[in-house]
Amino acid sequence: MVQYNFKKITVVPNGKDFVDIILSRTQRQTPTVVHKGYAISRIRQFYMRKVKYTQQNFYDKLSTIIDEFPRLDDIHPFYGDLLHVLYNKDHYKLALGQINTARNLISKVAKDYVKLLKYGDSLYRCKSLKVAALGRMCTVIKRIGPSLAYLEQIRQHMARLPSIDPNTRTILICGYPNVGKSSFINKITRADVDVQPYAFTTKSLFVGHTDYKYLRYQVIDTPGILDRPFEDRNIIEMCSITALAHLRAAVLFFLDISGSCGYSIAQQAALFHSIKSLFMNKPLMIVCNKTDLQPLEGISEEDKKLVAEMKDEAMKTVIGQGGEATDEAGVLLTMSTLTEDGVISVKNAACERLLNQRVELKMKSKKLNDCLNRFHVAMPKQRDQKERPACIPEAVLEARAKQAEADAEKQKRKLERDLENENGGAGVYSASLRKHYLLANEEWKEDIMPEILDGHNVYDFVDPDILQRLEELEREEGLRQEEEGDDDFEMDGAELTPEEQAALAEIRKKKSLLIQQHRVKKSTAESRPTVPRKFDKDKEFTSKRMGRQLSALGLDPTLAINRARSKSRGRKRERSVECGDDNGNDAMDVDEITPSKKQRRSRSLSMARSRSMSRPRSEFVPGEGFKDKPQKEQAIKLFKKSANKRNKDARRGESDRVIPTLKPKHLFSGKRSSGKTDRR
């Protein structure tokens, strides 16, 4: 059985990449050092080898392209016509022909220049001939660049074609667009074809597989076909026509009797009669879909007549060469892919009809006699008149009886779902969690369980005066809240003088303006740059301006200014105690309290040094995930040990692919001449 796998076709490079690949290989695989002091025969051989090697590489690469692309005359007619529909076989053959011509031209160029190189009289002449030969070969490749690009596009498209075996058991689904073909294949196979409520959702052939009687069947979903002349059909419709014409398959013609597809039964019947010639020698069945919207008995008399005519045509379809007419039962079937009513019966009927047809064809073939000669069915002959009834061992009968009892008990046992249905259904029935308790007495499961603590009933420890004490506590809490409420002061403006009320109104107005300004700035904070305070030209954020504003309101700004200054982040020099206190008391003895100048300097240096120094790496800090300092030191030690190999390999991490030596000497120092081992 021939299998077509177009995914294995080698990638076709474009013209520029093709030249780069071949010339790079020539440079790497042939000698690169030659001197004018060599014998002329050696120089000729050096350049002849380069020309021949380049020609052979071009020949092999082009031959691979020609051999791997399928020949339309040698493959199955289904694939031949499908490729013609998709790509136009004239353009396809022309592109491959140009590749073949380029291959012959390159061989001819190489042959001519090798002849000229045999008579080269100097290194310069041989090198010029070599350059000319390789240049002409590359020119030939560049001229077929469009053909190479065209073949690469075809290769990519062919790799996406479904893998269809033309010779296996196949079920083909056809009909008008949007009649339920893709929904049917999704129901009976594991295919995932896109289903949408509009026409021509399926634009190419889709393949799924299903099983029937332990045999694998191939199900093909074809795009929708419209009833119009053959020459007016587009590529999408021609894919379906090609599959119907060349595949030996059971054909399911889908008929939408509800009309929701946008086409009437008359239009679908006209399509059936226009393509009925493609149904010859194939099992044909008419499937009336979407019976959930419109049953078959509910259609009009005219439509019933059209369906009957289609059924008669299907009855006339011949199963094989000289075969009998099909049976009436399996010709017209009804189903609904939405409710899945009749889907399995349609699949089984199609598989059964196809299987019977394939068996009849094999029975009529000439190979049957050759197969029957290999078979011998042995029939035992009766040797006496004794009766020998079947004997079943007692152990087997006992095992059967036990199994039957177990099955009967299993059927009698009520499941949780049955109990739920009997007791009101979901949302009403609550499953009992106590029925699975392992207790000495089954009746104990439904007992009311007291709360037990340390072997005693919890109710034994309930304080009988707890409610009275709770009331006393609430009363005491209420009194305390009343006392605190008297101390609270809320500025509602009722007890203020007119001047104070005016100041309060001004403060509240200013506060609302500041809130609004802050919200505006917050909304534009991402796009607004931050301006340092020293570049504040408008002087909006100075303590003097704040003092003037508070003074204008009749308030003393001294406390606010001092509070703002106290929030400065700069470090202040500690004042010595020799200055005295604020009450005018004299300073204490300097020698008793103030340290010496040298001590103060050493202390300030130590403080500055401690401020600038960071914590040691091994210092233990709670919250880092370590139990104590030795555990942290051990973890640091293991980390350093694991990093040794990465550091040795000059890698930052495990996934680093760094190359320490960008130009290794053995790749950039030339070739070694014969008899020497040192590098150039």
Side-chain angles (χ1 to χ4, degrees), residues 14 82 373 451 466 496 527 542 557 631:
N14 56 34
L82 184 63
N373 291 335
E451 296 293 336
I466 188 170
L496 300 178
S527 60
T542 60
Q631 187 182 26

Side-chain angles (χ1 to χ4, degrees), residues 35 69 174 176 200 300 326-327 385 396 449 504 567 602 625:
H35 297 290
F69 275 89
C174 66
Y176 255 93
F200 287 109
S300 62
T326 59
D327 55 334
Q385 300 300 326
V396 175
M449 298 175 60
L504 179 61
K567 292 184 179 179
S602 62

Side-chain angles (χ1 to χ4, degrees), residues 344-400:
I344 300 301
S345 61
V346 170
K347 184 199 86 167
N348 294 343
C351 295
E352 189 68 31
R353 292 277 300 282
L354 180 62
L355 190 60
N356 293 337
Q357 185 225 24
R358 292 172 67 90
V359 170
E360 288 181 10
L361 289 177
K362 290 181 180 178
M363 293 295 291
K364 294 176 183 178
S365 64
K366 296 180 180 179
K367 296 181 180 180
L368 181 63
N369 294 329
D370 298 337
C371 295
L372 290 177
N373 291 335
R374 305 175 193 172
F375 297 133
H376 172 68
V377 182
M379 300 296 294
K381 296 181 180 179
Q382 188 175 3
R383 62 187 180 185
D384 50 28
Q385 300 300 326
K386 292 183 179 180
E387 292 185 2
R388 294 179 174 84
C391 179
I392 303 176
E394 293 293 333
V396 175
L397 293 176
E398 292 178 359
R400 285 185 181 178

